[in-house]
Amino acid sequence: PHPDYTRFKSTWLAMRHAYAGEKEVKLNAYSCGMFDDGATNLNAWQSGYLPVPTSMLIDWHTCLTGFTSDTVGRNAYMQYLSRAQFPGHFKFAVDSFCGLIAQTEFNISLPQEMQDLAENIGVNGEDLQQLMMQTVKELLITGRCGALLDYPSFGGENPYITIYPTESIVNWDNSADFVNKNQLNMVVLDESTEVMSKESLEYKPVNKYRFLR
C-alpha cells in the first residue's frame, strides 16, 4: 500500500464508524475485537474507542494466556460499555451539509449528444447529479474518493462512472519517477467482494485488485 494509505487508514475507518453511529462504534470499542476473549496483547485491550479500564482488566485476566468469558471484569466492562453513549453529531453534520448542497442542482453543461448519457452514467444506473452527491458525501466523511470512467467488459456501448471510496484506493503514484510529475501515473483499486458459492449458497470473500497505469 501507499505510505499515505497506511498512515490514514485508521482515521478513515474511524470516520466510517462515527458516521455509522453508536452501534458500530461499540462493536469496535477496543481494538482487539468485541468478543475476542483469546487476545493476550494488553495494549489491544487498552486502546480503541472505549478502552478497558485497568481495574476491570485485572479482574478480567486469569493469566496472560487465558481468559474466561464470565469473569467479574468482563461483566463489569459490558455494563460499562452498555451505558456509554456516542452522539450522532458527525452523521447529522454530514447529512445536513449534503441536504443543503442538494437543494441546488449542479450546473452541468454537456453537448446535446451526451445528454442521454448523463441520465444513466453510474455503474448502478445513477444520473450525474446522484454521482455528484455521492462524491460530496464521501468527501465530507473521509476527505477523498475516486471516480473511474470505464466501458462494460461485456455488452453495451455506453461508458459508466464508478465512485470508489478512499479505502479502496490502496496504492498510487504521481511522482517524477514516472512520465509526468504531479499527474496520476498509476493506481491500484481494491475491488474485493463476497461471492456466493453455488454449492453451499454461502458467501465467501474474494480478493480482487485492479491495476491501472
Side-chain angles (χ1 to χ4, degrees):
H2 193 281
D4 284 345
Y5 180 87
T6 304
R7 185 178 302 116
F8 293 109
K9 183 179 180 180
S10 61
T11 300
W12 297 330
L13 184 60
M15 294 299 98
R16 293 289 181 199
H17 292 160
Y19 183 79
E22 181 176 305
K23 181 178 180 180
E24 192 68 26
V25 170
K26 287 187 175 182
L27 286 174
N28 295 274
Y30 47 85
S31 60
C32 61
M34 182 64 177
F35 299 107
D36 185 8
D37 286 336
T40 59
N41 184 357
L42 293 177
N43 291 330
W45 294 95
Q46 296 192 293
S47 61
Y49 302 136
L50 190 65
V52 181
T54 302
S55 59
M56 296 181 187
L57 190 62
I58 293 173
D59 290 337
W60 199 329
H61 279 261
T62 56
C63 65
L64 289 179
T65 57
F67 299 81
T68 57
S69 61
D70 57 350
T71 60
V72 173
R74 188 183 197 281
N75 293 338
Y77 179 77
M78 291 306 165
Q79 293 177 21
Y80 175 61
L81 179 63
S82 67
R83 293 191 298 269
Q85 296 182 341
F86 182 80
H89 300 323
F90 181 63
K91 177 177 173 58
F92 177 80
V94 170
D95 292 346
S96 295
F97 276 113
C98 286
L100 289 172
I101 294 172
Q103 289 180 3
T104 304
E105 287 194 1
F106 297 101
N107 185 12
I108 302 173
S109 179
L110 295 172
Q112 185 61 39
E113 56 269 20
M114 294 183 64
Q115 292 295 332
D116 292 340
L117 187 62
E119 297 299 320
N120 186 25
I121 188 63
V123 66
N124 295 313
E126 303 95 335
D127 62 30
L128 207 49
Q129 296 282 343
Q130 291 173 318
L131 285 185
M132 295 289 282
M133 287 309 305
Q134 287 182 25
T135 302
V136 168
K137 184 175 181 180
E138 287 296 316
L139 293 177
L140 288 171
I141 294 175
T142 61
R144 190 187 77 147
C145 69
L148 177 65
L149 178 65
D150 200 3
Y151 276 91
S153 57
F154 55 90
E157 299 180 354
N158 293 331
Y160 60 89
I161 296 175
T162 303
I163 303 297
Y164 284 83
T166 186
E167 301 94 318
S168 297
I169 310 171
V170 298
N171 202 359
W172 60 93
D173 191 287
N174 57 354
S175 68
D177 296 336
F178 283 72
V179 179
N180 296 306
K181 185 178 181 180
N182 297 325
Q183 177 176 317
L184 186 61
N185 303 299
M186 180 276 291
V187 64
V188 177
L189 303 172
D190 184 354
E191 297 182 343
S192 300
T193 184
E194 292 184 344
V195 178
M196 186 181 69
S197 169
K198 294 182 180 180
E199 290 76 20
S200 64
L201 301 182
E202 295 180 352
Y203 281 87
K204 297 181 179 180
V206 175
N207 294 327
K208 180 183 177 182
Y209 295 89
R210 178 180 294 201
F211 178 79
L212 302 173
R213 182 176 178 182

